[in-house]
Amino acid sequence: MYKDSKFKSFNISNFSPFYPILSFALLFIIGICVGSILVGKIQYLFEYSSSNIVDFFNIRQNENIFSIIYNSFLMSFPIYVATFLLGTSFIGCVTAPIIVLLVGFKVGLLTGNLYMSYKLEGIMFNALVLMPIVLSFIIGLFILSKEAFSFSFDLAKTCIKNNKPVNIYSKFRLYCLKSVSTLVCVLVSIIFDVGLSTLFISYFTFI
């Protein structure tokens, strides 16, 4: 009975809006660290990340600007859609952190592979091209994951007997509006991808 009353009185909005985002940032960093360590220990992960790096270079060296935009869109937008859709269910509380962790893990694989295989040139490529694209994308994902977690939690609270009613429709409209606004980060990520690839990709010859 005591635990139930505590759950009903718990409200994510009581916390600073930065706490959930910082939590997702921590998960992202953990994912990067784990990916960077495992890429050198598991052959499949090394080959997988190498294939991703080669594909990234081939598209940006040999294709036109529209192919780059399309490829960049396909790398980011489906992750946002998955996070949003899962946030409309009870499992969003679990899947939002997992998605952030997995994205960090993949970034860690790519970063670790670049450092291991290409040394200084890999570090320069990571700093000049990869990280600006990733950071603009991940900021939006942090915000979207926070909103997905919060809305999913509100859904779960409506199932608690005698719990204070939650205006789900209003919250869903707000969730949709905030989710759409995070697509600005996808657009910025695509712009960075096209711009930085055009500027710097020809200076890297390790593929």
Side-chain angles (χ1 to χ4, degrees):
M1 186 73 178
Y2 173 70
K3 290 182 179 180
D4 183 59
S5 63
K6 281 183 68 178
F7 180 80
K8 290 190 290 184
S9 63
F10 179 80
N11 193 336
I12 290 178
S13 62
N14 292 335
F15 291 86
S16 166
F18 294 107
Y19 289 168
I21 293 178
L22 288 175
S23 299
F24 285 121
L26 179 60
L27 283 173
F28 179 69
I29 292 171
I30 291 172
I32 290 178
C33 293
V34 173
S36 299
I37 293 170
L38 293 184
V39 73
K41 298 181 180 298
I42 301 176
Q43 183 65 23
Y44 169 77
L45 294 178
F46 182 82
E47 292 174 355
Y48 169 77
S49 56
S50 296
S51 175
N52 275 258
I53 293 170
V54 170
D55 290 343
F56 184 93
F57 261 78
N58 285 338
I59 290 172
R60 283 151 186 81
Q61 283 183 325
N62 304 320
E63 302 291 339
N64 57 45
I65 189 171
F66 297 106
S67 295
I68 297 174
I69 292 172
Y70 179 70
N71 178 260
S72 185
F73 179 80
L74 286 183
M75 288 194 306
S76 55
F77 186 68
I79 298 174
Y80 274 53
V81 171
T83 303
F84 170 80
L85 292 177
L86 290 169
T88 62
S89 67
F90 300 127
I91 63 173
C93 296
V94 177
T95 57
I98 290 175
I99 289 173
V100 172
L101 186 65
L102 291 176
V103 171
F105 181 72
K106 183 172 182 179
V107 172
L109 292 179
L110 298 176
T111 301
N113 191 315
L114 285 167
Y115 289 3
M116 287 173 52
S117 302
Y118 309 110
K119 306 298 188 291
L120 181 59
E121 200 169 6
I123 294 173
M124 291 297 294
F125 173 78
N126 194 57
L128 292 175
V129 180
L130 185 60
M131 277 302 109
I133 298 170
V134 169
L135 288 176
S136 55
F137 161 78
I138 202 64
I139 289 172
L141 185 60
F142 288 161
I143 298 170
L144 179 57
S145 297
K146 168 186 171 293
E147 297 303 327
F149 184 94
S150 179
F151 182 73
S152 178
F153 189 84
D154 285 335
L155 281 177
K157 287 200 298 183
T158 62
C159 296
I160 304 299
K161 188 177 181 181
N162 297 325
N163 194 24
K164 183 180 178 180
V166 177
N167 191 338
I168 287 297
Y169 178 69
S170 296
K171 285 185 175 290
F172 180 69
R173 288 179 58 193
L174 186 60
Y175 174 51
C176 290
L177 288 172
K178 289 182 177 180
S179 298
V180 170
S181 69
T182 61
L183 293 178
V184 172
C185 294
V186 173
L187 178 61
V188 172
S189 176
I190 292 173
I191 293 172
F192 273 142
D193 194 346
V194 174
L196 294 174
S197 296
T198 303
L199 285 173
F200 297 116
I201 205 74
S202 61
Y203 294 102
F204 297 96
T205 58
F206 49 82
I207 297 298

